[in-house]
Amino acid sequence: MFGYEMISVLSLVVAILAVLFGPLVARSNAQRQIRATARGDWMRDFRQHAAELLRNHGLRPGDGTREFEVRVAMRFSYSALRLLIAEKAPQYDEFISNLDDMMKYQSGDSEKEKFAAASADILRRERAAIMEDHGVWRKTYSKLVSHRRGV
């Protein structure tokens, strides 16, 4: 008789825990997925505009385009990249410097290479940030351990 009572009490406790923690876990997972999707979209837009700027940088007047068209195409990509970086500006100062150098009228291949390397670095950091997001259980454990240590 004692076994059946213990099983029913244990089942009740598990059901209560599931009702209490289930929505919290679902919410945390949904937030994580939204953050990952937003970062992925940001990375796609960044990659697209950086590639377009690099492509347009190689154009020179006389290659079937006029100087004005080349400058307009580069300015559009430049502005789009500045807006994308604006929300994360402090950590990407080097990229902004390389972007500004590339927009100078007589910039050469060295500026183009620096810009490409800085772009690749940003994409690598953003991918790493997506991979570091471990979800609710890892965050909860980290908070408990840091609280216990007095951090």
Side-chain angles (χ1 to χ4, degrees):
M1 191 73 175
F2 178 72
Y4 290 119
E5 289 175 3
M6 187 58 114
I7 289 174
S8 62
V9 168
L10 185 60
S11 297
L12 177 65
V13 169
V14 169
I16 289 172
L17 288 174
V19 167
L20 293 176
F21 288 109
L24 295 175
V25 171
R27 179 175 176 254
S28 174
N29 287 337
Q31 286 177 337
R32 180 176 179 231
Q33 186 64 37
I34 289 168
R35 281 192 306 271
T37 302
R39 278 187 189 258
D41 290 346
W42 185 92
M43 288 171 54
R44 180 181 39 82
D45 290 343
F46 178 84
R47 195 172 21 250
Q48 175 187 357
H49 291 297
E52 190 169 326
L53 184 64
L54 286 169
R55 181 180 59 84
N56 290 331
H57 186 269
L59 295 176
R60 294 286 177 240
D63 295 341
T65 58
R66 293 189 308 240
E67 182 177 348
F68 176 74
E69 293 169 346
V70 172
R71 300 304 288 172
V72 167
M74 287 181 68
R75 179 58 65 181
F76 175 76
S77 297
Y78 171 82
S79 299
L81 286 169
R82 286 300 296 245
L83 286 172
L84 284 169
I85 292 295
E87 60 194 54
K88 303 173 183 226
Q91 59 185 341
Y92 297 131
D93 288 337
E94 179 184 352
F95 173 80
I96 291 171
S97 173
N98 290 328
L99 180 62
D100 291 339
D101 288 345
M102 195 160 146
M103 288 302 292
K104 291 178 182 169
Y105 184 68
Q106 296 294 331
S107 65
D109 288 337
S110 66
E111 286 83 5
K112 190 175 182 178
E113 290 173 11
K114 288 178 186 176
F115 173 78
S119 297
D121 184 49
I122 286 175
L123 292 172
R124 192 173 22 266
R125 284 190 216 174
E126 292 297 320
R127 266 189 238 105
I130 290 173
M131 298 307 289
E132 285 177 4
D133 191 1
H134 297 293
V136 66
W137 296 118
R138 180 67 175 219
K139 288 179 184 175
T140 304
Y141 175 76
S142 298
K143 286 179 183 176
L144 289 173
V145 169
S146 66
H147 181 68
R148 185 177 293 165
R149 290 181 185 163
V151 175

